[in-house]
Amino acid sequence: MRIVHTIAELRQALASCRHPAFVPTMGNLHDGHLALVQLARPLGDVTVVSIFVNRLQFLPHEDFDSYPRTWEADCARLRDGGCDLLFAPRERELYPRPQTFRLQPDPALADLLEGHFRPGFFGGVGTVVLKLFACVLGQTGGTAVFGKKDYQQLMVIREMVQQFALPIEIVAAETSRAADGLALSSRNAYLNPDERREAVALPQALQRLAQRWLDAPAQGPALEQQALDALRARGWQPDYLSVRRRADLQTATAGDAPGTLVALGAARLGGTRLIDNLEF
């Protein structure tokens, strides 16, 4: 595996490649990230992973400074996982001057759910992903792999690629989970042992919400409120538990067919904010 830290080095390393397969990450890698790399490997003639903790997508009170950075372990995992090229730019490389030009996603998609509780988040995500695409895939196009755990983020990126006519195929990977059903996440490392045991209550709440919605779709708002109240009773601080249409993340109605829906949730357990979703 070759490691490069500058855009010039990256482009030189990719000069003879015709179709890179790219997995962008913020590091602190877990088995879910490695599953993305394995999915990417047969999709291109070189497998590229980036590690960059993007300041633009963190609100002032969030965990940018304390976000886990595990460089040596990440490199070892990627070497074992089949990564060919690791792009690890320093902040001044991607942002050599203040990033005053930023992506502005459609508010109809980006200002609800995660965007409502984390204002500006998707603008920060979209800006860095667009810049990383320009660095890694800007010469040839290619394929980029993202996990479904960040469901709304995946939709924003897909729409960005389509509207800007980028020669990039976005491939979605199913959410990787622990044996008890908890979605793998870098932020799971913040959980203490008791919180880790309790954390499975979030995917379980989404499963119950989805099943109850199928049984009584006309009662959707009441079912969502019941799901929120149930998590609060367990000591969580939920932001949302909601059933939405997969096509546009608008609120589902009784007329929406099973197989077109997704239940999404975000909630804080102690000091850790977790997200998850379930298509149904």
Side-chain angles (χ1 to χ4, degrees):
M1 180 179 75
R2 181 176 176 183
I3 300 172
V4 298
H5 297 285
T6 70
I7 297 170
E9 291 175 314
L10 173 71
R11 289 177 172 161
Q12 186 277 327
L14 293 174
S16 62
C17 301
R18 296 192 300 173
H19 192 99
F22 177 41
V23 180
T25 83
M26 292 206 302
N28 192 28
L29 304 181
H30 51 68
D31 287 347
H33 293 110
L34 273 294
L36 302 183
V37 175
Q38 291 301 310
L39 180 58
R41 287 185 65 191
L43 302 179
D45 56 359
V46 60
T47 304
V48 185
V49 176
S50 65
I51 293 178
F52 181 72
V53 184
N54 176 43
R55 186 186 300 270
L56 296 187
Q57 68 194 68
F58 289 80
L59 296 179
H61 66 278
E62 293 184 335
D63 57 340
F64 174 79
D65 290 326
S66 62
Y67 191 85
R69 292 160 170 86
T70 52
W71 172 252
E72 295 296 335
D74 290 349
C75 289
R77 277 181 164 268
L78 290 173
R79 286 191 185 98
D80 293 341
C83 174
D84 300 313
L85 181 62
L86 170 58
F87 178 44
R90 297 173 179 85
E91 191 168 30
R92 64 179 178 271
E93 178 70 16
L94 272 195
Y95 300 128
R97 58 174 62 185
Q99 189 69 32
T100 55
F101 282 56
R102 299 198 186 192
L103 187 81
Q104 183 176 335
D106 182 358
L109 175 61
D111 285 2
L112 44 79
L113 299 173
E114 283 296 286
H116 174 75
F117 288 94
R118 303 179 69 188
F121 172 69
F122 289 114
V125 169
T127 298
V128 76
V129 170
L130 187 60
K131 181 167 277 197
L132 288 168
F133 282 172
C135 295
V136 178
L137 304 174
Q139 299 177 96
T140 60
T143 298
V145 179
F146 292 84
K148 283 188 179 182
K149 184 180 76 71
D150 298 290
Y151 201 90
Q152 191 174 4
Q153 172 181 283
L154 174 64
M155 293 185 67
V156 168
I157 291 168
R158 276 178 163 160
E159 189 67 16
M160 177 186 76
V161 166
Q162 183 177 31
Q163 292 204 16
F164 283 108
L166 303 179
I168 298 168
E169 178 187 7
I170 301 299
V171 173
E174 296 299 327
T175 301
S176 295
R177 298 184 179 277
D180 63 358
L182 180 66
L184 299 187
S185 169
S186 296
R187 287 188 170 93
N188 290 353
Y190 295 154
L191 300 168
N192 66 38
D194 288 339
E195 290 169 342
R196 173 60 187 84
R197 286 188 288 271
E198 170 62 23
V200 72
L202 178 59
Q204 290 172 349
L206 293 173
Q207 291 166 5
R208 284 193 296 270
L209 175 58
Q211 185 57 57
R212 290 172 179 173
W213 197 97
L214 290 173
D215 293 339
Q219 299 178 27
L223 296 175
E224 292 176 352
Q225 188 60 53
Q226 291 168 16
L228 291 168
D229 292 343
L231 268 188
R232 288 194 186 98
R234 299 180 67 99
W236 292 68
Q237 298 172 283
D239 286 339
Y240 59 86
L241 291 167
S242 186
V243 176
R244 301 294 175 115
R245 296 195 300 254
R246 294 186 207 176
D248 55 13
L249 291 189
Q250 296 304 301
T251 302
T253 68
D256 291 313
T260 68
L261 304 172
V262 58
L264 304 105
R268 191 172 296 277
L269 179 60
T272 306
R273 187 175 184 273
L274 302 176
I275 67 171
D276 205 347
N277 64 81
L278 173 68
E279 293 180 321
F280 68 100

